[in-house]
């Protein structure tokens, strides 16, 4: 199931099976993530070069599903 980009939420979502995938503005996606190590640094580095930055999040496999 797909949820199109929503200007208010500033992200779009796709549900595939039991997984939820997100794409959108970093400040809208990153707070929903558990592990964002290095993401802020990468965001700031790319933005300082004038690049448009989108965040993409997907589930990380748990020990039980590996």
């Amino acid at each position: 199931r797909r949820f199109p980009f929503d200007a208010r939420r500033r992200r779009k979502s796709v549900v595939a099976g039991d997984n939820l995938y997100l794409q959108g503005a970093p400040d809208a996606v990153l707070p929903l993530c558990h592990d964002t190590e290095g993401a802020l640094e990468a965001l700031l580095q790319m933005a300082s070069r004038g690049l448009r930055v989108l965040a993409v999040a997907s589930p990380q496999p748990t020990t039980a599903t590996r």
Side-chain angles (χ1 to χ4, degrees):
R1 186 168 182 201
R2 295 175 188 238
F3 298 89
F5 181 81
D6 181 299
R8 186 178 51 83
R9 292 175 44 219
R10 298 178 35 228
R11 66 179 188 263
K12 70 177 185 176
S13 308
V14 176
V15 177
D18 291 335
N19 298 317
L20 173 66
Y21 300 91
L22 301 173
Q23 176 184 337
D27 59 330
V29 173
L30 293 179
L32 303 173
C33 298
H34 294 286
D35 182 15
T36 60
E37 183 178 338
L40 183 57
E41 293 81 12
L43 165 66
L44 294 174
Q45 183 182 31
M46 288 185 274
S48 72
R49 294 177 19 216
L51 299 174
R52 180 175 176 204
V53 182
L54 290 175
V56 178
S58 64
Q60 183 177 27
T62 62
T63 305
T65 60
R66 285 185 185 164

